[in-house]
Amino acid sequence: RSFMYRASRPYAASAEGGFTLLEVLVALAIFALASVIAYSGLDSVASTKGALEKEIRFWRELGLVFDRMEADFLQSVPQPLREAPEVLRPPLRGGNLAGSDGENAGFFIELIRHDADRAQVRVRYLCERGGLTLRAGAANVLAASGEDDAGRTIDTPLLRGVEGCETAFLSGANAWLAEWPGDQSLARPRAIRIRLALAGYGRFERVFLLP
């Protein structure tokens, strides 16, 4: 009995102080499963954050574009644009562009405003399928070369992914016209309406009231 008791003690100590192979495998499996769950959660959070930042960036850029257009429209001056000694253009003009298939291919709006130094600036918004661009330069354009007194005009892309765009001008009779001035005698319309169709975001409309 004494011999059998002494032989059984090392066996009991070994069983209490270590892990079996099955226990180790179960622990590894649980750790691997927890790691996969944690990685999936982090990846989901990162994807959601990226999508949210993209959405915020889009709305901020769209808001800045509309704010820029509104500022230019409000600061437009009722002074005819002189393109040549005997050629005068209306102070504000624009209209929709027809494509080769006869459908609306975009619009342009052109006006004169003052910059920070009170110099006259010629501003032209050109919207075509694919993008909205702002072209700015000095008001006194040399018709032969297409250059102004300070050099070539500067084109600034404002929006990309434009699938469709159109404009309209509110006359004194509260009628929306597809072009301005047309047969109107007013120097400026009462309001300008802009409609944009942007890829992945839908359609947007903004009406700018002119003083």
Side-chain angles (χ1 to χ4, degrees), residues 77 79-81 112-115 118-122 137-140:
V77 296
Q79 178 176 339
L81 172 64
I112 299 294
R113 66 167 175 82
H114 289 126
D115 64 6
R118 302 301 297 174
Q120 290 188 354
V121 178
R122 182 178 185 176
N140 297 320

Side-chain angles (χ1 to χ4, degrees), residues 29-47:
I30 294 175
F31 176 77
L33 180 61
S35 299
V36 170
I37 294 175
Y39 176 80
S40 300
L42 290 175
D43 183 64
S44 177
V45 170
S47 300

Side-chain angles (χ1 to χ4, degrees), residues 7-191:
S8 64
R9 289 184 60 84
Y11 175 79
S14 176
E16 293 176 359
F19 298 96
T20 65
L21 178 60
L22 180 59
E23 290 173 334
V24 172
L25 292 176
V26 171
L28 290 176
I30 294 175
F31 176 77
L33 180 61
S35 299
V36 170
I37 294 175
Y39 176 80
S40 300
L42 290 175
D43 183 64
S44 177
V45 170
S47 300
T48 302
K49 180 182 178 181
L52 182 59
E53 290 177 347
K54 180 181 178 182
E55 194 77 12
I56 293 174
R57 184 166 57 252
F58 165 78
W59 287 107
R60 182 172 63 247
E61 292 176 353
L62 183 61
L64 289 175
V65 169
F66 282 147
D67 289 345
R68 175 63 184 270
M69 298 180 78
E70 182 176 35
D72 285 339
F73 295 159
L74 293 177
Q75 295 174 16
S76 63
V77 296
Q79 178 176 339
L81 172 64
R82 184 178 297 277
E83 291 191 343
E86 298 180 356
V87 178
L88 294 178
R89 296 285 188 182
L92 188 151
R93 65 192 185 102
N96 293 306
L97 304 174
S100 57
D101 53 2
E103 295 183 356
N104 179 36
F107 68 78
F108 82 95
I109 299 175
E110 189 173 64
L111 56 91
I112 299 294
R113 66 167 175 82
H114 289 126
D115 64 6
D117 298 325
R118 302 301 297 174
Q120 290 188 354
V121 178
R122 182 178 185 176
V123 175
R124 181 182 177 92
Y125 286 94
L126 178 62
C127 186
E128 298 176 307
R129 292 176 182 174
L132 174 65
T133 302
L134 169 63
R135 174 172 295 177
N140 297 320
V141 177
L142 304 178
S145 63
E147 297 183 2
D148 57 46
D149 294 340
R152 294 188 178 277
T153 56
I154 300 176
D155 288 352
T156 304
L158 299 178
L159 289 175
R160 295 181 175 85
V162 178
E163 296 180 333
C165 52
E166 64 179 75
T167 187
F169 306 88
L170 186 63
S171 69
N174 291 328
W176 287 105
L177 307 177
E179 63 178 24
W180 191 267
D183 58 356
Q184 302 297 306
S185 59
L186 295 178
R188 296 193 303 178
R190 298 183 60 188

Side-chain angles (χ1 to χ4, degrees), residues 180-205:
W180 191 267
D183 58 356
Q184 302 297 306
S185 59
L186 295 178
R188 296 193 303 178
R190 298 183 60 188
I192 300 176
R193 184 179 67 199
I194 303 294
R195 288 176 175 172
L196 300 173
L198 304 178
Y201 292 96
R203 297 180 177 274
F204 301 88
E205 178 177 310

